[in-house]
Amino acid sequence: QVQLVESGGGLVQAGDSLRLSCAASGRTFATNAMGWFRQAPGKEREFAAAISRSGGSTSYADSVKGRFTISRDNAKNTVSLQMNSLKPEDTAVYYCAASNLLFTTRTYDYWGKGTQVIVSS
């Protein structure tokens, strides 16, 4: 089992960059595929990015492709989301998630409590 804690959220202006981090506890971290999801006010949670166990494969939602980069450091038990060229529509609570699968954009078993990102126009 894995416990996840997100950090790095904040209030920025359109065009700025922000880096989110997710700290994982548990000896099984390196066996989990990881992902980032987001939920805007009044909307359902949506997939943003995913990374495989080893970090060799990644996947992104069309809305963030080319702007966001997901990465992981298994030695430090962390996964990050580098967000560039932020837009007001990126405003949301961002959640870190872990899956027992090798690689997935859909099925996750563990979730963090989220970190708020607000992008002003």
Side-chain angles (χ1 to χ4, degrees):
Q1 58 185 34
V2 179
Q3 294 78 48
L4 308 171
V5 180
E6 304 94 336
S7 63
L11 197 161
V12 298
Q13 293 187 328
D16 285 354
S17 296
L18 199 62
R19 186 177 181 86
L20 305 182
S21 294
C22 175
S25 62
R27 297 169 64 85
T28 62
F29 174 75
T31 70
N32 296 95
M34 302 293 294
W36 285 95
F37 288 73
R38 63 186 187 179
Q39 186 169 20
K43 298 184 178 180
E44 295 185 350
R45 186 180 301 179
E46 65 177 7
F47 167 78
I51 189 167
S52 63
R53 287 181 178 180
S54 66
S57 298
T58 59
S59 182
Y60 299 92
D62 289 340
S63 59
V64 308
K65 192 173 300 181
R67 299 187 298 119
F68 290 11
T69 302
I70 187 172
S71 61
R72 68 189 297 163
D73 186 336
N74 290 343
K76 296 181 179 180
N77 293 335
T78 59
V79 61
S80 299
L81 186 68
Q82 177 66 45
M83 305 184 293
N84 297 328
S85 301
L86 284 164
K87 305 174 180 180
E89 49 263 46
D90 294 320
T91 295
V93 175
Y94 284 71
Y95 298 89
C96 178
S99 174
N100 288 321
L101 299 174
L102 176 67
F103 186 46
T104 182
T105 61
R106 302 179 301 276
T107 304
Y108 288 86
D109 304 288
Y110 313 102
W111 296 84
K113 294 183 178 180
T115 185
Q116 178 73 63
V117 173
I118 300 175
V119 185
S120 63
S121 60

